[in-house]
Amino acid sequence: KVVEEFGYYSGIVNKIDEQVEKHPRLFASFDKFEHDTHHNQINEKETPTKKIILSTFENMDHKGWEYAFQSLNDYNFFVQILTCFFEYKPFTLPESTIQLKRTCKTKIAKVLGEIHKELSEKPLSSDREYFDIARLLNHFKKVSDSSLTRSMQR
């Protein structure tokens, strides 16, 4: 009926409005969705800390985060833990490790060193909590603090 009266596109818009009214919780955050067109682009709503972390990972290689991480979920999860750590927000370290791709250990260590240098006030060599976060990544699971320090300062 609406299609006949107002035209095809108006009818579609009307039906969408009806669905939004029927299911408000389902559509509550619909307008907040942002399509990711290239890797994990930085948007204005992110904190300065998170922007630094994201850009450091993106600049690690022309493939960005995909150079090292096997999934976007793993990457986002790790970035979130780093962000919470540097913003002094509570977080819980998971029991499981994040599996990285092979042959990325050196670049990831360098990135972790750059992030720490940029965002931390503590000397790297004594930042045990940061080492625990790094050990979430399978390449660093069994690496000593001194070896992590050396790797991150290359």
Side-chain angles (χ1 to χ4, degrees):
K1 183 177 179 178
V2 175
V3 173
E4 291 173 10
E5 192 174 332
F6 297 108
Y8 180 75
Y9 293 106
S10 294
I12 290 173
V13 170
N14 185 57
K15 285 292 181 194
I16 291 171
D17 287 342
E18 284 178 24
Q19 292 300 314
V20 170
E21 285 179 31
K22 282 184 186 175
H23 310 284
R25 288 183 47 210
L26 179 64
F27 293 95
S29 61
F30 188 76
D31 61 333
K32 293 175 178 63
F33 176 78
E34 292 180 24
H35 185 66
D36 184 12
T37 55
H38 179 69
H39 297 301
N40 187 22
Q41 291 184 346
I42 298 169
N43 66 48
E44 293 76 36
K45 296 175 190 161
E46 292 166 341
T47 65
T49 301
K50 191 169 188 174
K51 285 181 182 182
I52 289 168
I53 293 167
L54 290 171
S55 68
T56 307
F57 275 115
E58 287 300 315
N59 294 326
M60 152 179 67
D61 185 83
H62 71 278
K63 292 180 181 178
W65 67 267
E66 291 177 282
Y67 173 80
F69 288 87
Q70 294 191 18
S71 74
L72 182 59
N73 281 346
D74 287 347
Y75 171 65
N76 286 334
F77 179 72
F78 191 68
V79 167
Q80 190 58 41
I81 287 175
L82 287 173
T83 303
C84 288
F85 173 72
F86 287 113
E87 291 180 349
Y88 304 101
K89 293 179 180 173
F91 64 93
T92 305
L93 292 177
E95 295 291 321
S96 60
T97 57
I98 296 170
Q99 298 298 310
L100 296 176
K101 293 180 180 176
R102 295 174 55 221
T103 71
C104 66
K105 185 176 180 178
T106 303
K107 279 190 180 180
I108 284 287
K110 186 177 180 218
V111 164
L112 292 175
E114 289 171 9
I115 290 169
H116 189 274
K117 186 176 183 180
E118 183 73 28
L119 297 174
S120 184
E121 297 156 9
K122 254 184 170 177
L124 179 61
S125 59
S126 63
D127 200 342
R128 300 213 184 295
E129 194 174 6
Y130 191 67
F131 294 148
D132 289 341
I133 293 170
R135 288 190 183 101
L136 288 176
L137 305 174
N138 66 316
H139 293 320
F140 305 114
K141 179 98 178 129
K142 296 179 181 173
V143 178
S144 69
D145 290 0
S146 58
S147 292
L148 274 172
T149 302
R150 281 194 305 278
S151 297
M152 290 182 192
Q153 290 179 333
R154 283 186 184 152

